[in-house]
Amino acid sequence: MRRAGPGTADTRRALLGQARASAQLGSPMYAELLARAADDPGGVVTGVLGERTETGHILGMLGTVHRLVLEGRVPELAAHYPTAGGTSDPLEAWPAFRDVLAGHAAEIRDGLLDPPQTNEVGRAAPLVGGLLTIADACRPAHDPARSLPVRLLEIGASAGLNLRADHFRFLHESGAYGPESPVVLPDAWRGLPPVGAPLAVAERRGCDPNPVDTSSPAGRRRLLSYVWPDQAARVARLRAAFEVAARVPATVVEAGAADFLDGLAPEPGVVTVVWHSTMRAYLSQEEAARVDRSIERAGAAASPDAPVAHLSFEGRDASRLDVQHVVTLRLWPGGEPVVLGEGPSHGLPTTWSPSV
C-alpha cells in the first residue's frame, strides 16, 4: 500500500470513509472503486477532486462518471456497469474507471459542483408513514371518518418523484399498504404507522435549484447516474417511479428552498405539509434559517381547520449518508417536534417508534 503524502492524506481519508459507507449501504462496487482510488499511485482521483473531499463532491464524481457510462461515451467502463448492460465483474472496474477519470478530468471536475440528484424512491417509506400520521391527527372532530386533504410541498424535490409517493405500494410484516403500482417497496416498515388513516393529496408542488424533467431521456439518465449501479433494486424502483410520474401530475419549480417557502401560509380546509429528505446538508446556514423561519411563521398562524406540518427525514449527522436518519414531525397548532421513527439513508426499512 502506498504511503499517502501530506497533500493527499485528507483525500485518502475521505475516500476510505465513503468506501466504508458504500459497503455499509450495500454497494460493493463503489466500495471497491473508492478503496482503490484512495491508494491510486498515479493520483488521478486526487487530481480530479483537489481540495473538494466532502461526501457530495465524491458522490458527484461517481455520478458524473456513471452519466458518461449511461450516455454510451465510455464503452470500456460500461462493460462493468449493470445499469448499462455490462456483464463484466463490477469489482474489476477500477482500471477502466481510472482511465475515464484521466480522459474526462475537466468534465468530471465540473460535475463535482453539481449536487447529487438521487430522488431516492425508498425515502417514500418515511414520507408516506409521516403523512399517515398527519392524516390521523387531522381528522375533523365532527367527521372522524375523514381527514383533511394534504397540500404537499417538497423542498429539494429534484424531479418530484416522491411527491407521488401515495401512488406507491408498501409491503410490511402485516401485509401491504397502497394501491397496485409499478413501484413496490419491500420491507418498507418495521412496526406500522397509522395505515387506517384516510390519506388524500390535494396538491403536489416542490422546488429544486436544478429540477429534473423525467419526461426526457437526459433527465432520466441524470437521475439514474446518481443511483449506485450495482444496486439493481434501487435502479428498478427508480425506473418504475418514472412510470408513475408520467401519469400523476406534480409541479416542481426552479427555486431555492428559502425563496420557495417565502410567504408560506396555512390554507383553510387542507393540512399544509412541508417535507424534505436528505437535503438539509446542501443548505447554507443562512438559507436553512430562512426555511425554518418561514415554516415557524406559517405554523404560528395555523388553526384546527388549517394546520401546518413540517415532516423531515434527515441524518443524525447531515454530512454522512451511512448514519441513521430520523423521521421528525412538528404539527401545528401547538405541536412540539416528535421523532416518529428511523431508518437507513435510502429509507428502507423505516422502523416506527412504538408510540406512532
Side-chain angles (χ1 to χ4, degrees), residues 48-64:
V48 167
L49 287 176
E51 300 298 317
R52 297 169 176 153
T53 59
E54 295 181 0
T55 296
H57 297 138
I58 295 172
L59 295 178
M61 174 184 72
L62 295 170
T64 304

Side-chain angles (χ1 to χ4, degrees), residues 119-199:
N119 213 171
E120 176 54 51
V121 178
R123 293 179 188 137
L127 167 61
V128 169
L131 288 183
L132 286 167
T133 303
I134 294 166
D136 194 47
C138 293
R139 299 173 187 254
H142 65 278
D143 188 4
R146 70 177 186 90
S147 180
L148 292 176
V150 172
R151 173 194 179 205
L152 183 59
L153 307 175
E154 183 174 17
I155 54 176
S158 188
L161 298 182
N162 282 338
L163 285 168
R164 288 94 164 181
D166 57 315
H167 287 262
F168 302 165
R169 189 160 179 82
F170 303 82
L171 307 185
H172 53 79
E173 297 167 321
S174 305
Y177 172 81
E180 293 298 325
S181 173
V183 179
V184 178
L185 303 182
D187 195 21
W189 297 325
R190 307 272 175 90
L192 283 179
V195 293
L199 175 61

